[in-house]
Amino acid sequence: MVALSARRRAAALAMTAAVVLATPCAAVAEAPVAAPRDTFSNSQDQAEHKPSDSVALRQLAQPPFPPTDLSLLSTGAYPDGPPMQPAPPRAITAEELVKQLKTTLKPRGSRAVEDGLAVFNSQQIAAIVPDPNLRAALASLAGSPGQASIQAIRDGIYSRVIFGITPRPEAIAMVLLGPATDPRPFIVFNQPYRYEDFRLLGDPSRTRPSTARTRTTETRKPSMRP
């Protein structure tokens, strides 16, 4: 079973990069940055340009370097890394999910926070996505390119979104055809990933390609996002 912790590791790596980008200029090795002559040609541009942006440009100008902690990366790309395992069972409370959801959506603006919380607390959506962790995964798409998935759930395109056993054991999630009583498709997330961080379940960009792009006649989408 391919473990979703690969995506957790990718998220941790992104968080590490964010800390690096937020580090004061003095703490970052100097490197030449080529920029158009008129990029900072007037005082208004300089006023609007944040110091952290300069740090980001300097960091991006650095040459490629090998990873120093293989535990943060997928064994598909780095087979010498430690084995990946699904997140162990844990208690997941609604209060915890709401707090994480607010933290996730806040950088996208107050509208995204408002929309995301409305999705999480919606009784209509809860009838289709009863698991709070999966519902938080859907809500985490508010204010993102995947936001259209929220409306797809509201419109009843899928009869339900649940945890269960996928026909392909290695899949993270699959879209399956419904029974004769309700022919609408439904989304099944593989049971071993029940305790993963919801921010990883909602975003396929953090999914290992070998599982995220699985396609069969019964499989259409591997995650919430279209």
Side-chain angles (χ1 to χ4, degrees):
M1 174 66 66
V2 175
L4 194 58
S5 55
R7 297 195 293 168
R8 293 201 313 276
R9 293 170 182 170
L13 186 60
M15 293 175 62
T16 302
V19 172
V20 171
L21 297 182
T23 304
C25 295
V28 180
E30 293 291 332
V33 179
R37 292 178 60 85
D38 60 347
T39 301
F40 311 110
S41 58
N42 56 62
S43 57
Q44 181 178 359
D45 285 344
Q46 293 177 355
E48 294 177 351
H49 188 71
K50 299 178 181 179
S52 59
D53 293 339
S54 297
V55 177
L57 291 174
R58 293 184 183 184
Q59 186 68 20
L60 291 173
Q62 301 295 319
F65 55 90
T68 57
D69 188 352
L70 296 183
S71 67
L72 298 174
L73 304 173
S74 166
T75 53
Y78 296 91
D80 294 334
M84 297 182 297
Q85 299 294 333
R90 61 188 177 94
I92 302 176
T93 66
E95 291 77 12
E96 175 189 356
L97 293 174
V98 168
K99 182 178 179 179
Q100 293 176 342
L101 193 57
K102 289 179 179 179
T103 300
T104 300
L105 298 177
K106 186 176 180 180
R108 304 177 197 170
S110 57
R111 177 62 181 273
V113 175
E114 181 180 342
D115 290 348
L117 292 178
V119 169
F120 183 76
N121 294 318
S122 169
Q123 293 184 358
Q124 175 194 4
I125 292 179
I128 301 172
V129 191
D131 186 272
N133 205 33
L134 284 181
R135 199 161 62 252
L138 179 67
S140 71
L141 298 178
S144 77
Q147 183 165 338
S149 297
I150 297 174
Q151 192 58 45
I153 298 299
R154 281 199 175 105
D155 290 344
I157 294 178
Y158 301 98
S159 62
R160 61 193 184 279
V161 180
I162 57 174
F163 281 109
I165 303 301
T166 56
R168 286 193 171 186
E170 75 279 7
I172 292 174
M174 297 178 68
V175 174
L176 306 176
L177 299 179
T181 54
D182 188 347
R184 290 178 298 168
F186 62 98
I187 302 175
V188 178
F189 279 80
N190 213 348
Q191 184 70 24
Y193 306 125
R194 175 179 291 275
Y195 301 104
E196 297 291 346
D197 190 313
F198 70 81
R199 291 165 289 194
L200 305 180
L201 295 173
D203 186 357
S205 66
R206 300 177 180 178
T207 307
R208 278 184 59 172
S210 60
T211 54
R213 296 176 186 174
T214 297
R215 303 280 179 173
T216 69
T217 55
E218 295 181 316
T219 308
R220 300 180 184 177
K221 301 178 186 176
S223 67
M224 299 278 192
R225 185 171 165 182

